[in-house]
Amino acid sequence: MPTRCAPLVLLALAAPAAALDLQEVLACDDGAEWPPFTHYLRDAQGKPSSELGGFSVEVLQQILGQAGIKLRLELLPWARCQREVESGRYLMALNASYSQERDARYWLTQPYYRTTHSYFYSRRHFPKGLPITHLADLANQRVCGVRGYNYEAYKVPVEKIDFGARDFAAVVAKLHLGRCTIGLEKLEIVAGYRITGKDLLADPDLGHAQVPELPPGEFHMMVSRQHPQGEALRDLLNRGLSTLRSSGQLQALQRRHLPGG
């Protein structure tokens, strides 16, 4: 379970909330959790509490807290979370990879962490691995993905992806059953599943490799364009992220939460 941060240096946000009329931000994230970025905190026996933590949660709490704004975060099915943010009922989501569609529908903050694009396969069916040496090779595989997730970076036609899984643990089960040849996910997320009690990388039958020809995947916070405070909140978040980065606090949080820092 993540330990608590020591008090951090106050963020020097320009005009912290002058452009905002917000006392609270209602945000959502993936109901399946997105460890180690957003997840339920657990006790020593692994039992989840109702309290949420993780890298992204602490980053957002730091920025909003210094602006005098309270965070109310709820985990919803990811597809529903995106719809709620788009409609303006929820003001933002914490973890979103880039796509042109998302850039048009939401205000995206600057990227604040990077991940390793990876593909996963079952050694029960492919004990010697798979002949994937180029990004284009992914489109020749039977791909399993998670409902509502963004796979634009992998250049696989969306109609060729099986979106029947609610989380990546379900994708792994489908790989072992032979229903698909590969599952696509960020290595940091699959490693982070151990926080939830599902140590997927401990499975000796689960193989993985980095997707060739893809740079690291960048993640943003995603703010509603329909909410009248959305653009001003995006600007506040960008100022906060810049301050955290220049002060070294963002990197310190990464070292504490992310595998390998």
Side-chain angles (χ1 to χ4, degrees):
M1 183 178 81
T3 56
R4 293 295 182 189
C5 279
L8 299 178
V9 179
L10 294 180
L11 301 180
L13 299 180
L20 293 172
D21 184 20
L22 290 172
Q23 294 182 337
E24 181 180 78
V25 164
L26 177 58
C28 61
D29 211 339
D30 189 355
E33 301 178 78
W34 187 247
F37 303 98
T38 303
H39 58 86
Y40 290 107
L41 298 179
R42 288 163 166 83
D43 62 21
Q45 287 70 46
K47 182 180 179 181
S49 69
S50 61
E51 187 177 359
L52 291 163
F55 171 76
S56 298
V57 177
E58 291 193 20
V59 167
L60 185 55
Q61 286 173 333
Q62 288 296 320
I63 295 172
L64 294 181
Q66 293 304 321
I69 301 171
K70 180 182 177 182
L71 171 64
R72 180 154 65 98
L73 176 61
E74 299 176 1
L75 300 193
L76 307 173
W78 181 234
R80 179 188 163 198
C81 174
Q82 293 174 86
R83 292 195 301 269
E84 297 283 14
V85 174
E86 185 174 10
S87 72
R89 187 170 120 75
Y90 285 68
L91 190 42
M92 62 172 295
L94 274 65
N95 302 286
S97 57
Y98 178 86
S99 73
Q100 290 183 341
E101 180 182 10
R102 286 177 177 172
D103 197 27
R105 291 187 175 187
Y106 310 92
W107 297 113
L108 299 180
T109 68
Q110 60 183 249
Y112 69 111
Y113 66 88
R114 294 164 48 155
T115 57
T116 307
H117 292 293
S118 301
Y119 66 90
F120 295 78
Y121 61 92
S122 175
R123 290 194 175 101
R124 299 176 192 174
H125 302 287
F126 304 99
K128 296 182 179 180
L130 291 164
I132 295 176
T133 56
H134 300 285
L135 178 62
D137 295 334
L138 299 180
N140 299 322
Q141 302 294 324
R142 287 181 290 120
V143 180
C144 276
V146 177
R147 191 178 306 116
Y149 282 17
N150 167 36
Y151 294 92
E152 183 176 291
Y154 299 98
K155 308 300 182 185
V156 178
V158 67
E159 64 273 9
K160 295 187 69 174
I161 301 175
D162 177 348
F163 285 103
R166 69 174 298 275
D167 59 22
F168 198 74
V171 170
V172 172
K174 294 174 83 168
L175 291 173
H176 289 330
L177 289 171
R179 294 181 182 172
C180 40
T181 55
I182 62 170
L184 299 172
E185 191 50 277
K186 285 60 174 183
L187 179 61
E188 292 78 3
I189 303 305
V190 180
Y193 263 82
R194 70 181 184 276
I195 294 170
T196 71
K198 301 175 183 177
D199 192 350
L200 301 180
L201 292 184
D203 180 355
D205 290 331
L206 183 65
H208 67 89
Q210 186 171 345
V211 173
E213 303 174 346
L214 264 189
E218 295 184 328
F219 274 74
H220 313 253
M221 298 183 193
M222 193 162 69
V223 182
S224 176
R225 284 182 178 265
Q226 298 304 314
H227 195 287
Q229 297 288 301
E231 186 174 12
L233 177 61
R234 187 274 313 271
D235 293 344
L236 176 75
L237 295 172
N238 277 340
R239 291 196 299 272
L241 290 171
S242 294
T243 301
L244 284 173
R245 186 176 288 107
S246 63
S247 69
Q249 295 176 56
L250 190 67
Q251 296 87 334
L253 285 171
Q254 287 175 333
R255 286 192 294 272
R256 196 161 61 78
H257 284 283
L258 276 64

